[in-house]
Amino acid sequence: MGATMKDIAKRTGLGLATISSYLNGGNVREKNRIKIEEAIEELHFEVNEVARGLKTNRTKTIGIVIPELNNIFFAEIITEAEDILRSHGYATMICDCRSDADREKEAVEFLCHRRVDGLIVMPTGRSDPGFRRFIRAGKPVVMIDRKMQDVSCDSILVDNKGAASDAVKRLLKTGHRKIGMIAGPEDVYTAKERLKGFREAVREAGADADEALIARGNYTIAGGAAAMRKLHEQNPDMTAVFISNYEMTVGAMMEINDLGIRVPDELSVIGFDNVDFARASVPKLSIVTQPTAKIARAAADILIGRLEGKLPEEHENEDDADGQKLSATVTLKTGFVEGRSVRTLKA
């Protein structure tokens, strides 16, 4: 049988209240801390997290729900966020729902039964798979990359509209007027925002706004390849293309190579995310970049702040209808890495 708190009390001569305070992260005198830690090591004492969770209604576990585990954007965020959460004593349970709404609902249900303390989520679509259930239970939910109209929770976003607009303006500045776009799924927040930015920049410049210059993909490599082929077939005189997602950028570049199109001589290209892929491309690809480390830090900080009652003052507000503090929205700027995939057209 393993050692208990009573065994530590007997070994140290300290009261159970002092030992309990130490084990739960409370402040104890330095000399008492040393005694307790020495006893823990000698007795090979291990905290029973299950019993602690039943008593405190906390499991020190955070659920993470993502659309695709093999998506490098999501993977980078998860890796960073997990490190931050671990440093605060939280373990993580990661659920990959494969961009499937039913799987997403099952994942949320699973995490609810596992009594996780909070959620970091990247929703697949517009309908709530059960996030409000957590919020009503007083558990924080932080949404990354996307927003849902019917769920009031903290959100960490990037300026998707501005990112797309800036990319298109770079193409316009180099003389392109017939610019195509590979857009994402209609029901995904980021896709809608990026399409808005594209249309706005084209309209303001008085460039070709033909809807045939927009092809939708599904945020996958195959989707990007199919959309690129469609754009090329419908717009043989297209001089540039903006691809609004990393996987679709990979697929589009594969299709461009298969079609024998020379970049940038015959087609200028601006892609999205993954500096390593951009550097490996020939020629080096110009891309929009997202601040994954900052996104992860913001998500973890707000979630921990909600759980530990230490949320920065700028995010503290009155309660909303679901009983959670009014949600905070953090919007981060994207970056841009200049490559050699954009050609300047002669006037």
Side-chain angles (χ1 to χ4, degrees):
M1 184 176 176
T4 66
M5 284 175 55
K6 289 182 179 179
D7 295 322
I8 296 176
K10 185 177 180 180
R11 182 64 63 91
T12 62
L14 298 172
L16 290 174
T18 300
I19 297 166
S20 177
S21 178
Y22 168 83
L23 294 175
N24 287 290
N27 294 320
V28 298
R29 293 179 180 178
E30 181 65 13
K31 63 178 183 179
N32 291 339
R33 180 188 66 78
I34 294 171
K35 285 182 181 180
I36 295 169
E37 290 178 353
E38 287 176 349
I40 287 173
E41 187 172 351
E42 291 172 9
L43 297 168
H44 303 292
F45 174 83
E46 293 184 2
V47 177
N48 187 330
E49 294 292 353
V50 174
R52 174 190 276 180
L54 291 171
K55 184 176 181 180
T56 64
N57 200 29
R58 288 287 181 90
T59 61
K60 298 293 284 186
T61 305
I62 303 301
I64 299 179
V65 184
I66 57 170
E68 298 286 346
L69 188 58
N70 61 359
N71 180 302
I72 192 166
F73 172 69
F74 298 145
E76 288 179 356
I77 291 174
I78 289 170
T79 300
E80 186 76 18
E82 191 175 30
D83 287 343
I84 298 168
L85 291 167
R86 187 185 296 114
S87 71
H88 284 79
Y90 291 92
T92 56
M93 297 183 74
I94 300 169
C95 296
D96 176 2
C97 62
R98 319 284 174 83
S99 295
D100 181 89
D102 290 334
R103 282 178 177 265
E104 182 180 48
K105 189 174 182 179
E106 289 173 5
V108 174
E109 186 74 15
F110 168 80
L111 292 170
C112 182
H113 289 317
R114 292 301 181 275
R115 301 175 61 249
V116 297
D117 295 337
L119 293 178
I120 292 177
V121 300
M122 305 171 196
T124 61
R126 288 180 291 184
S127 60
D128 174 25
F131 301 145
R132 284 183 294 180
R133 180 177 177 180
F134 278 84
I135 296 169
R136 285 194 293 268
K139 296 184 177 184
V141 175
V142 179
M143 208 167 284
I144 286 180
D145 192 46
R146 303 168 186 181
K147 291 186 73 173
M148 300 181 76
Q149 291 183 347
D150 58 346
V151 179
S152 177
C153 66
D154 299 313
S155 301
I156 314 299
L157 310 173
V158 298
D159 182 9
N160 289 285
K161 181 180 174 182
S165 178
D166 176 68
V168 176
K169 286 177 180 177
R170 288 172 184 271
L171 293 170
L172 291 164
K173 189 175 181 180
T174 52
H176 296 277
R177 288 296 178 272
K178 201 168 186 65
I179 303 169
M181 178 184 181
I182 297 181
E186 291 184 48
D187 60 347
V188 175
Y189 172 81
T190 53
K192 290 189 288 186
E193 289 296 299
R194 291 168 193 172
L195 183 56
K196 284 180 186 177
F198 172 84
R199 283 176 168 153
E200 184 177 279
V202 168
R203 184 176 62 253
E204 289 178 354
D208 192 339
D210 189 344
E211 285 295 305
L213 284 164
I214 298 170
R216 287 193 180 273
N218 58 355
Y219 276 0
T220 66
I221 292 174
M228 186 66 242
R229 180 172 288 275
K230 180 180 178 181
L231 277 180
H232 176 67
E233 290 174 350
Q234 292 184 347
N235 307 280
D237 55 345
M238 178 178 68
T239 63
V241 62
F242 167 56
I243 312 158
S244 62
N245 155 271
Y246 165 63
E247 279 76 16
M248 294 195 302
T249 297
V250 174
M253 291 303 294
M254 291 168 62
E255 189 66 24
I256 285 170
N257 288 335
D258 286 347
L259 291 169
I261 299 172
R262 291 177 296 133
V263 176
D265 297 339
E266 296 176 308
L267 183 70
S268 291
V269 179
I270 291 181
F272 220 91
D273 270 341
N274 198 331
V275 174
D276 291 337
F277 174 75
R279 291 178 62 187
S281 298
V282 180
K284 179 181 176 183
L285 197 59
S286 294
I287 57 166
V288 175
T289 61
Q290 299 191 82
T292 53
K294 290 182 178 179
I295 293 170
R297 166 65 66 180
D301 284 351
I302 287 183
L303 187 71
I304 292 166
R306 293 289 191 197
L307 289 168
E308 301 182 358
K310 300 175 183 176
L311 198 67
E313 290 183 5
E314 62 266 27
H315 299 322
E316 286 288 5
N317 276 302
E318 61 194 31
D319 290 346
D320 66 13
D322 284 324
Q324 177 170 304
K325 295 293 184 181
L326 283 175
S327 56
T329 298
V330 177
T331 303
L332 302 170
K333 290 291 184 181
T334 56
F336 193 85
V337 175
E338 197 74 62
R340 293 187 292 274
S341 60
V342 176
R343 180 171 71 102
T344 300
L345 298 183
K346 294 180 180 180

